[in-house]
Amino acid sequence: MVSPFLSHKVDWQTNTALEVSDPIASPGAISGTTEPGRHRKLAEAHEFAETIIAAIPDILFEMDRNGRYLQIWTKHPELLAATKQQLLGKTVNDVLPPEDAAAALRAVREADEKGVSDCHVIRIVQQDGEPRWFEHHVAKKAGSETSSQTFLVLSRDVTERKLAEHILDEARTRLLTVLQTIPDMVWMKDMDGAYLLCNHAFEHLVGKSESEIIGKTDLDLFDTDVARVLRERELAIDAGGAVINERWVIHQGSGQRILLEIRKVPIIGAEGKTTGVLGVARDITELNASREKIHRMAFYDSLTDLPNRELFYERLRQAMADAHSHRQLVGVMMMDIDHFKAVNDTMGHPVGDELLCQAARRFQASVRTADTVARLSGDEFAILLPSIRHANDLADIAAEMLKTFDEPFLLDGKEVFVSCSIGIAFHPDHSADANDLVKYADSAMYLAKRLGRGGFQFYSRQLTEDAQHRLMLESELRRAIERGELEVYYQPKVLVENGMMVGSEALLRWHHGKMGMVPPAQFIPIAEDTGLIADLGRWVFREACRTAAQLNADGSVPHKVAINFSSRQFQRSDLVQMVTEILDETACHAEWIEIEITESLLLDQQYETLATLCALRTKGISIAIDDFGTGYSALNYLARFPIDTLKIDRSFISSDDKRSAELVKAILSIARCLGQSVVAEGVETVEQAAFLRASGCDAAQGFLYSKPLPKAEFVKLPQFLSI
Ligand SMILES: Nc1nc2c(ncn2[C@@H]2O[C@@H]3COP(=O)(O)O[C@H]4[C@@H](O)[C@H](n5cnc6c(=O)[nH]c(N)nc65)O[C@@H]4COP(=O)(O)O[C@H]3[C@H]2O)c(=O)[nH]1
């Protein structure tokens, strides 16, 4: 190989060298030496140059101005466009495609002008047809004649780098495509806050094109205040290298409000320093709205917009946890709208809903903002009252709340008076458990209802004991029929005029093995609540039908047995069928039976009740309203329902109040007009009997004539019960 550093060819065989120009060995290093010494030095310089060439991986060309290949030095001849022999003496135009040849010549020309030309990357198609890229550094060869100026071209194979760059370029293009396509806003800023990059979504947000954004800062794009805050945060990123997650509400020109979830991360440079900030923002307006909607659906009641059971309990638990540190009471009130079902059924469900909404507003208006009014279900509302100093405060709030119900509700254009019952329990006195507290407030609410509705009651231990007693009674009652502990007593019903017995009322008795006689007032409500009344009712009905059949067997004087039917029994669709089967089974005529129902039944279950009553009536069974005057006494149902008898409640008979006496007369007059018979209940004195007789009352029932008796004793009673 011949060193490119020698200006002319040297015949190394003869060791003859002329006009040696060696940039490595200085001319002075050779001059002044002897001929053999000079040759030796020259040989050393040559060897040195050879070593350098051998060491470099590049290709070295010597070319003239026309790009003619004069010399080629390479360890990798396969990297040439043609073989060395084919190239020598040819120009780049001869061997390279026009474009590549032109690039090679440009580099030579530049070197001709400036002495050197750097970094021209030229594509050369290899002998195997594959293209490779070479970086050309061209230097004017020193010492050449201007006319025969040659150039040294150092051609470095940069194909791998080029390919890597290409891959990188492709990746960058793909990345930019992705950036432009994604709906999220993406941008990059340098540490001076100038935008380096942004995507279409960001352009859209800012309302400016990329070219108007790049190089600008937030001060150029946003309000000064906003820009200042943004800058402060970004400087914090620089200081701490932290990631910033924030939410921004953007008010757009159209008046639209956009909620952005923004994440900003530091861009860390090669030296580990923060060189900029990468920001990504997502429009979460819709997502947030959906989240809020889901949250509302999960934690709020859709009708009243009040917190629901879940949220109520969550807040209650939190309030109870907080109460420890504040030494304050947490009150729970349970509210129930009295006779809500009646309103719902008589006025329709939309009106019932309206009542719930109006009641919710009244509850809310009676409490503080820190309190939570929740709708737990149906007409069941609860209020959480944290931070209460004294139980009396709860009583005051409940009283206030009840007062708001003094005003009528405007429902469907009508003024309707509705009351509500409230039960109160509070933490820590009553319980440290949220579920128990609600349960206790609930039992207090039921007590309030039992005590006449429209009032409030505090929970007491007694209530839990009562509840436990009820539970015990319930389990005992379940076995009462099979244990033979039940018995039906009969109380005679007589004509007031002469004391003649015309019928009787069947009254259930429970002789418990250990507890003795349990009064119906105790176990009938339990049987009603638990549904046991269906079995008990069927049993009583069968017993009473047997007795009626027995009493009417001789056919002399007809005897009608009245049997109490609970509202709950009317909820069974097979009631008429049950009655029919038992009448058949006991050979009892329907005319010997009267069914006693309460006013509330007529109010509660309008349509189905009417159908059932009509079916029973059609069979020949008579219908009596028990305890008349104590309920709603909505007179319109007297005409609508097939009612034969009104039983005036005992309270009117026993009362000394003149108004009660007037009411009795009024009831008698109404019944007369409607063709209904009247039975006065609870007649205990001769005076009461005399009053009834004078007022024109048909029949009476009461201790004056006889107490309820076991069947065996009852059947022995005389036909006339003289007083
Ligand atoms: N102080 C006083 N009381 C009098 C007098 N005359 C009758 N009584 C009582 O008044 C109640 C009349 O029955 P009710 O109003 O239907 O009221 C009944 C009725 O609602 C219910 N009940 C009783 N047996 C049954 C039954 O088999 N089924 C259903 N569903 N309820 C029943 O239990 C309630 C209470 O029944 P009892 O304790 O037997 O109480 C009976 C009876 O013993 C009187 O002169 N003075």
Side-chain angles (χ1 to χ4, degrees), residues 491 505-509 520-521 524 528 533 540 564-566 569 596 626-627 650 681-684 701-703 708:
Q491 183 177 35
E505 179 177 359
L507 294 161
L508 184 57
R509 294 290 178 262
I524 294 287
E528 285 172 341
I533 196 72
V540 172
N564 288 285
F565 266 48
S566 292
Q569 288 172 266
E596 290 191 12
D626 206 0
D627 309 329
R650 196 170 75 218
E681 288 189 284
V683 181
E684 292 182 347
Q701 187 183 330
F703 293 170

Side-chain angles (χ1 to χ4, degrees), residues 187 189-195 217-219 222-246 248 264 274 277:
W187 67 91
K189 285 181 193 173
D190 63 18
M191 284 321 294
D192 296 326
Y195 282 89
T217 67
D218 288 327
L219 275 170
F222 304 113
D223 278 357
T224 318
D225 292 345
V226 173
R228 202 169 294 138
V229 176
L230 289 170
R231 186 80 190 121
E232 274 168 22
R233 302 259 169 100
E234 283 164 13
L235 289 175
I237 297 188
D238 182 29
V243 172
I244 288 185
N245 290 307
E246 54 193 11
W248 281 79
K264 290 177 187 168
T274 306
V277 174

Side-chain angles (χ1 to χ4, degrees), residues 594 599 602 623-629 635 637-638 643-649 666-672 674 676-681 697-699:
E594 184 164 71
E599 287 176 274
L602 303 180
I623 313 286
I625 304 278
D626 206 0
D627 309 329
F628 186 75
L635 297 180
Y637 66 67
L638 289 185
I643 295 157
D644 302 280
T645 310
L646 298 184
K647 293 190 80 177
I648 304 177
D649 190 65
I667 294 170
L668 285 167
S669 147
I670 291 168
R672 212 171 294 125
L674 295 172
Q676 290 155 343
S677 62
V678 176
V679 177
E681 288 189 284
C697 181
D698 313 322

Side-chain angles (χ1 to χ4, degrees), residues 382-658:
I383 302 184
L384 161 66
L385 302 117
S387 315
I388 294 288
R389 271 169 300 151
H390 197 273
N392 288 345
D393 299 341
L394 290 169
D396 293 344
I397 296 169
E400 275 301 310
M401 209 170 288
L402 290 175
K403 224 186 251 171
T404 66
F405 276 69
D406 288 348
E407 287 294 309
F409 286 82
L410 191 63
L411 300 173
D412 200 18
K414 296 179 194 99
E415 287 196 343
V416 179
F417 283 90
V418 177
S419 62
C420 92
S421 304
I422 303 177
I424 310 168
F426 53 89
H427 167 80
D429 299 43
H430 293 149
S431 178
D433 179 86
N435 290 318
D436 282 349
L437 211 57
V438 172
K439 198 169 73 186
Y440 293 162
D442 202 44
S443 34
M445 188 265 290
Y446 275 104
L447 176 68
K449 267 194 186 301
R450 279 206 296 279
L451 294 179
R453 302 171 195 258
F456 70 87
Q457 287 294 321
F458 274 92
Y459 166 77
S460 67
R461 297 261 171 259
Q462 184 60 44
L463 275 178
T464 303
E465 282 161 25
D466 290 352
Q468 281 163 354
H469 182 64
R470 273 171 73 91
L471 269 180
M472 186 272 291
L473 282 183
E474 182 193 328
S475 70
E476 290 296 303
L477 193 56
R478 286 187 187 280
R479 273 162 270 156
I481 298 179
E482 64 202 51
R483 281 183 187 158
E485 294 174 347
L486 298 176
E487 187 180 2
V488 178
Y489 277 34
Y490 297 88
Q491 183 177 35
K493 208 188 284 180
V494 302
L495 290 179
V496 177
E497 195 189 334
N498 54 12
M500 185 176 99
M501 197 194 320
V502 286
S504 58
E505 179 177 359
L507 294 161
L508 184 57
R509 294 290 178 262
W510 179 16
H511 309 272
H512 186 267
K514 285 189 188 133
M515 291 183 286
M517 185 73 98
V518 184
Q522 262 188 42
F523 70 85
I524 294 287
I526 295 172
E528 285 172 341
D529 288 351
T530 55
L532 272 172
I533 196 72
D535 288 344
L536 293 187
R538 190 185 304 115
W539 186 86
V540 172
F541 190 72
R542 185 178 286 113
E543 288 297 306
C545 285
R546 278 194 192 122
T547 306
Q550 193 180 329
L551 292 171
N552 287 290
D554 65 0
S556 53
V557 184
H559 184 103
K560 196 170 272 196
V561 179
I563 303 154
N564 288 285
F565 266 48
S566 292
S567 306
R568 189 77 191 253
Q569 288 172 266
F570 277 82
Q571 285 169 10
R572 293 184 65 111
S573 52
D574 60 353
L575 183 70
V576 179
Q577 190 190 338
M578 183 272 278
V579 166
T580 312
E581 281 171 7
I582 293 178
L583 287 176
D584 290 349
E585 180 193 320
T586 55
C588 175
H589 292 189
E591 299 77 46
W592 301 335
I593 297 296
E594 184 164 71
I595 283 174
E596 290 191 12
I597 56 171
T598 55
E599 287 176 274
S600 59
L601 171 78
L602 303 180
L603 283 168
D604 283 353
Q605 299 160 353
Q606 290 273 303
Y607 179 73
E608 294 79 3
T609 312
L610 180 63
T612 308
L613 287 176
C614 286
L616 293 174
R617 186 82 176 313
T618 310
K619 288 201 137 317
I621 290 175
S622 7
I623 313 286
I625 304 278
D626 206 0
D627 309 329
F628 186 75
T630 53
Y632 256 70
S633 300
L635 297 180
N636 67 337
Y637 66 67
L638 289 185
R640 282 180 57 215
F641 288 94
I643 295 157
D644 302 280
T645 310
L646 298 184
K647 293 190 80 177
I648 304 177
D649 190 65
R650 196 170 75 218
S651 56
F652 295 105
I653 309 299
S654 60
S655 171
D656 294 332
D657 191 342
K658 270 202 164 172

Side-chain angles (χ1 to χ4, degrees), residues 128-164:
D128 60 5
E130 286 299 311
R132 292 189 83 79
W133 282 264
F134 293 87
E135 196 174 74
H136 279 186
H137 298 265
V138 186
K140 220 171 180 176
K141 190 169 171 197
S144 308
E145 293 286 323
T146 319
S147 56
S148 57
Q149 177 68 58
T150 62
F151 300 87
L152 282 177
V153 181
L154 189 96
S155 178
R156 175 164 295 168
D157 184 1
V158 292
T159 307
E160 303 311 322
R161 194 186 84 201
K162 195 77 186 157
L163 286 174

